[in-house]
Amino acid sequence: MALLEIRDLRAKVGEKEILKGVNLTVNAGEVHAIMGPNGSGKSTLANVIAGRPTYEPTGGQVLYDGKDLLAMKPENRAREGVFLAFQYPVEIPGVGNAYFLKSALNAIRRYRSEPELDAMDFMDLVNDRMKLLGFDEAFLSRSLNDGFSGGEKKRNEIFQMAVLEPRLAVLDETDSGLDIDALKVVANGVNSMRNQDRAIIVVTHYQRILNYIVPDRVHVLLDGRIVKSGGEELAHELEKHGYAGIEGEVSAAR
Amino acid sequence: MSEPADPRAPYLSDFESLSKEFYESEPDWLRTVRAAGLARFRDVGFPTLKDEMWRYTNVAPIAKQRFVPSLRLRGDGVSEDRVRPARLSQFEGSELLFLNGRYMPRLSKLKDLPPGVRVGSLSKMLAWQPNAVEGKLGRFARIEGSPFTALNAAFLQDGAFVEVPKGAFVEHPIHLLFLATFHPQPTASFLRNLIVVGEEGRVTVTESYVGLDEGVYLTNSVTEALVADRGRLDHYKLQRESEHAFHVGTLQIHQGRDSVVSDNSLSFGGAIVRNDVNTWFDGEGGELSLYGLYSTHGTQHVDNHTRIDHARPACTSRELYKGILDGRSRGIFYGNIIVHKDAQKTNAMQTNKNLLLSKDALADSIPGLQILANDVKCKHGSSIGQLDEAAIFYLRSRGLDAEAARALLTYAFAREVVDQVKVAAMHAVLSIQLASRLPQTDAVREVL
């Protein structure tokens, strides 16, 4: 059974229909890239999977591990192992990074009837994951994303992912706004999390990040539909010819 | 049809009888203070919504209620067991306990204090060493300022006297605990505190107002604080009255040259509450920080007024008040900073932020600056808003349930003020108080 099975998914934001029938199958252990120009529906797809209230599914089905994902509250999706790395992580002054992450992790563990981590065990885990991403201690005592640079926010998303250990991670344009060094750090973090049980969906406009996170499958999203799928080489093709080339191909085929 | 009763009448007759029974033996100057207060109240009566300073708060429920002055309560007592929850736990300093306006020496703890520091009941000072108080009491909290201050001058019963001589440093905070209990005939306590900090003296004073019963009563308190040149006062007021009670309190600060004063006004209880904090800079280089947090629910009404008179050059004032309003409650912030004509190099910043937790809650934010000097740095800002939906979703997407996310964000909103509370025991009470207003969730417990 596929970890994620999306069938003819339609969704609107406000009155506007953005997703017009998306089909996608992602198996555990795979990394998929979803590429597309601005306005093609990439972020909408990512947010619908995570359950953002203003993104309204209007048709189709999303099965996660065989369960109806769209029927779950956002927090239950997280507890079931779905993680969205935000394109624009929210700044929350007054909530400490470490405290927040500990309450999130323990909320997830309670849901799974696993014992909660005490402060010591939690710090062991966090220190381990911080090394992975080259974070220092000071970062933990800061408020959640408060005053973080763009790159720090994106790294924090990956750090949260590393601590929460989801089964399905969706990275929504995590590469945007990163310089090459930050991009490598983020990509290394993501790569270190690749394993047989976990699937990762990399949503991106640019091929650049896929030089560091090499995908198993690449999909092109255009006007709310996946119009082309292929292997890693599809990303290079897009880099060479741009989305315009695909658009031409698609309209010619119709 | 009979005329509606004049709400002043009972106060006038109470004053007459209390004068005969209690006030006649007092020093002439104090009787003059009382008489002037009563005369002022008789002239102006209770404020109405037409009065600019009271246009957001209707005090008719206070005016209509017949209160017995708490000075008339006889044989009032309370056990340590009942008092304990109201005390600050793990508190190192001195604690003066007042029950319904009366000092309770047996329930108070006075720690060793540096030489020359005097801490005790104001009424005892008035009885035994009135000279220490004369000329200071009522000098700064002027009866023209508010009809309630005038009433307080007329009926003041007891409170704390804190005097820190030149250069003395009082290490542990002094906690003033004002407890109210319910009486079948509602009572009014007129509390007066006097804090005098000498040159380079330093002290922290915390005031707690706690209702031990749910019931109707009136607390009318005035604290006068005189801080001499280079002195420092850190002041806190934690208001946890009964939610049926009325609380009208004024803090009047007078600051000398290069003095440093901070106040935290933390307001949770009361049916109708009015907090006034007024400061007068009377020397150059003074510094003032005013923090406020008001959290209301149900039908509570809390009105916070602050007034800062930059009467001398080169003084700095920082002000941050935050309101968390739930249910059908209403919270008001009315700030006024007056930069006088010659107060050049004034630096003043005033901020008020409100969080509405329900659609029926109401916030009024009225920041104000009057600048009569030309070389100044002044800024004010205010906001009224709801919890950020994007932030709620962000937290939920990490596994926190919606209620926990809301609670966490509400606590985070308050935190900017909470973290200014430097007295650990007070910080602890405040955190518990805040959490008690939030849904009891594990997420918030983790953060606390």
Side-chain angles (χ1 to χ4, degrees), chain B residues 100-167:
Chain B
N100 298 316
R102 188 187 306 269
Y103 180 55
M104 309 296 274
R106 288 206 190 99
L107 293 170
S108 301
K109 316 177 269 196
L110 282 171
K111 294 285 168 73
D112 283 343
L113 294 163
V117 173
R118 289 197 277 193
V119 174
S121 141
L122 181 71
S123 66
K124 297 280 182 294
M125 281 309 284
L126 287 168
W128 298 336
Q129 293 173 281
N131 294 347
V133 182
E134 185 180 355
K136 295 184 182 108
L137 188 78
R139 183 167 138 207
F140 302 110
R142 301 185 59 233
I143 55 177
E144 294 80 11
S146 153
F148 286 94
T149 301
L151 263 185
N152 188 281
F155 290 98
L156 64 92
Q157 181 183 346
D158 207 349
F161 175 75
V162 175
E163 189 182 56
V164 178
K166 183 173 174 175

Side-chain angles (χ1 to χ4, degrees), chain A residues 50-53 74-75 78-79 83-84 86 90 92-95 99-100 102-104 106-108 110 145 157 160, chain B residues 388-402 408-409 411-413 415 442-448:
Chain A
R52 186 188 282 267
E75 54 269 37
R79 294 163 183 175
F83 181 91
L84 172 67
F86 281 53
V90 184
I92 307 185
V95 174
Y99 285 119
F100 155 68
K102 181 161 172 269
S103 18
N106 281 334
I108 290 170
R110 274 195 303 278
N145 294 327
E157 295 294 287
Q160 290 177 23
Chain B
D388 178 11
E389 288 299 329
I392 292 171
F393 174 64
Y394 188 66
L395 297 178
R396 293 179 75 187
S397 80
R398 298 301 182 249
L400 299 179
D401 63 44
L408 197 55
L409 291 170
Y411 187 78
F413 174 82
R415 190 133 184 208
D442 300 322
V444 179
R445 198 195 59 215
E446 299 254 1
V447 177
L448 297 178

Side-chain angles (χ1 to χ4, degrees), chain B residues 20-70:
Chain B
K20 285 194 193 111
E21 241 177 294
F22 298 99
Y23 303 157
E24 252 171 21
S25 57
E26 292 179 341
D28 284 348
W29 66 264
L30 180 56
R31 288 164 62 200
T32 306
V33 167
R34 289 193 191 280
L38 189 80
R40 174 71 189 177
F41 176 71
R42 191 180 50 221
D43 290 349
V44 297
F46 282 101
T48 69
L49 295 173
K50 288 181 195 139
D51 185 336
E52 171 61 22
M53 288 299 110
W54 293 87
R55 57 184 282 213
Y56 297 92
T57 297
N58 180 7
V59 299
I62 302 176
K64 269 189 275 190
Q65 179 68 53
R66 175 74 175 101
F67 293 106
V68 175
S70 61

